[in-house]
Amino acid sequence: WYLRASIRGVQKMWLVALVFSIVAVAIGGVSCAKQEGVASMATSRSSSPITTAATFTKNELQEHNHVWRVMNKACFGKWSGTIQGFRMDKKTNSPIFKDNDELLNFRLWAKANTNWMGKKKDTGTWTVWNLQQKGDELIVPLRRLPLSKPSQLKIGFHPGCVLRIPSNFKRVPRSVFELGYWGEGVRRTVVLEYLTSDKNKHMELKDVTLVTQRAVPWHNAALFVGNATVSKDIDILPQMAPFDAKDVIQKNKQWKPLLVERLELQNMERVVTTKNKMTTDDKERAMHILKRLVQNSDDCNDSYNMVLSNGLLTSFPKHMSGKENGDGTTTTKSFIFAHKWGHGRPFQALVIDYDSMTGEGIAAVMYSYK
């Protein structure tokens, strides 16, 4: 599922707690006390048997395996960058960064354990440094399968998209939505936290946290020191968005949907639809997503639309509460996280839909365009 020793009081407590939920992208089998502060993302095909107390459906097992494979391919390795939190200004629809102090060089080593023959196991570790202050260290165990069913869904899409979201945002103490695009040497992660407002009892967006890291090249991996500080790696996260959404989407009007991969969040059934099998509704929804990303936040009453400073194109709800429409239907709350890969890879936009009345997750749909 994101900072520094200079953070004070409640702000520091919140940020540290949130980071615990971010760094533990793949935890299983931790105590109940730790589960409250650390998320459990587990997940690939087992190279050795694991004893698990939980009972999973066939679809759930397939998804745990799928996420583990995506993590092995895209996330495992050594990473160096920085992390920063901000809140949204409702009047200007723009981000306000929480701190002006020096950012820390947030560092990560994610790896699978191996046996004596060097074969990967389905356990591992996720170690981070320079989280609250220079030199600190946090080690989190990883598992392909958790020992109990976690409250958060762990989902993966190739080539390198990993997310952690609630199956029902009304059944968890705080709703945290985390997504990361990992690939081409860069990690881009965003975490959104929604809390219920005491004033109007609506679940409103409280904080946004960004993580951006570079992959340490293989020829420098042996020189990687976890608790070190590399100043140039901190500069990877600019204070301003690196481009405008219109520069990416409207200049590529020839983009057409290439693939639609839909995961039903209630039964974890995954369906992949290729271009020649798409329905008219599939194509229209795919093109609507592109139009949504270029809308200005000022023109959207219930969502923030923006390019984040780490290069993710996003649209996310200002609040998660909703009411029934006149025809008896309920409002759908949608999150969109998009990324333009390089090297000829397709543009990808992930859409996550929720029923705002019941809080139930509906589907996570990855659209690929080319």
Side-chain angles (χ1 to χ4, degrees), residues 70-98:
V70 173
M71 290 180 62
N72 264 273
K73 184 177 180 180
C75 306
F76 285 2
K78 297 175 180 179
W79 302 80
S80 180
T82 195
I83 182 170
Q84 188 166 30
F86 64 88
R87 64 179 179 82
M88 297 302 302
D89 186 325
K90 295 181 181 180
K91 294 182 179 180
T92 63
N93 289 318
S94 59
I96 298 177
F97 286 96
K98 293 185 173 182

Side-chain angles (χ1 to χ4, degrees), residues 181 186-190 210-212 236-238 240-245 248 306-314 337-341 347-348:
Y181 279 100
V186 180
R187 171 196 181 184
R188 298 173 174 88
T189 295
V190 57
L210 303 181
V211 176
T212 309
I236 189 174
L237 181 62
M240 302 294 292
F243 54 82
D244 188 280
V248 173
M306 67 185 66
V307 178
L308 300 175
S309 58
N310 64 359
L312 292 182
L313 296 87
T314 62
F337 304 97
H339 176 51
K340 186 180 185 303
W341 298 98
F347 177 83
Q348 287 190 308

Side-chain angles (χ1 to χ4, degrees), residues 156-197:
F157 291 92
H158 288 298
C161 179
V162 177
L163 59 149
R164 181 177 59 85
I165 57 176
S167 60
N168 186 314
F169 65 81
K170 291 188 176 182
R171 294 180 185 170
V172 289
R174 61 191 184 94
S175 291
V176 177
F177 302 80
E178 173 192 352
L179 174 134
Y181 279 100
W182 306 64
E184 299 175 343
V186 180
R187 171 196 181 184
R188 298 173 174 88
T189 295
V190 57
V191 179
L192 309 172
E193 182 186 25
Y194 290 80
L195 289 178
T196 301
S197 170

Side-chain angles (χ1 to χ4, degrees), residues 128-303:
V128 297
W129 293 269
N130 305 332
L131 179 58
Q132 301 176 54
Q133 59 186 5
K134 288 185 179 181
D136 66 4
E137 178 181 288
L138 173 66
I139 303 175
V140 178
L142 308 181
R143 300 180 66 94
R144 178 179 65 89
L145 290 177
L147 295 181
S148 60
K149 288 193 177 184
S151 60
Q152 298 283 96
L153 300 176
K154 291 75 185 175
I155 301 168
F157 291 92
H158 288 298
C161 179
V162 177
L163 59 149
R164 181 177 59 85
I165 57 176
S167 60
N168 186 314
F169 65 81
K170 291 188 176 182
R171 294 180 185 170
V172 289
R174 61 191 184 94
S175 291
V176 177
F177 302 80
E178 173 192 352
L179 174 134
Y181 279 100
W182 306 64
E184 299 175 343
V186 180
R187 171 196 181 184
R188 298 173 174 88
T189 295
V190 57
V191 179
L192 309 172
E193 182 186 25
Y194 290 80
L195 289 178
T196 301
S197 170
D198 293 333
K199 184 180 296 185
N200 55 25
K201 303 302 179 182
H202 286 176
M203 187 171 282
E204 297 182 343
L205 178 66
K206 181 180 183 293
D207 291 283
V208 182
T209 304
L210 303 181
V211 176
T212 309
Q213 294 175 311
R214 291 189 183 94
V216 177
W218 66 267
H219 53 83
N220 289 335
L223 303 176
F224 180 85
V225 177
N227 60 4
T229 293
V230 180
S231 298
K232 67 180 180 64
D233 290 346
I234 300 175
D235 297 333
I236 189 174
L237 181 62
Q239 294 297 302
M240 302 294 292
F243 54 82
D244 188 280
K246 294 180 181 179
D247 295 336
V248 173
I249 295 175
Q250 292 186 348
K251 288 183 179 180
N252 293 276
K253 293 182 179 180
Q254 75 280 9
W255 278 350
K256 301 296 180 184
L258 182 69
L259 192 76
V260 178
E261 190 169 0
R262 181 184 179 92
L263 182 68
E264 300 293 340
L265 297 182
Q266 294 308 306
N267 62 15
M268 304 305 282
E269 180 182 1
R270 187 181 287 257
V271 178
V272 179
T273 305
T274 56
K275 181 179 179 180
N276 59 347
K277 293 185 178 181
M278 287 183 193
T279 65
T280 300
D281 287 344
D282 289 333
K283 295 176 182 178
E284 289 180 352
R285 178 90 194 277
M287 300 313 293
H288 171 75
I289 297 305
L290 296 181
K291 294 178 181 178
R292 174 80 174 271
L293 288 170
V294 298
Q295 283 185 311
N296 192 292
S297 292
D298 295 334
D299 300 326
C300 301
N301 294 327
D302 61 351
S303 66

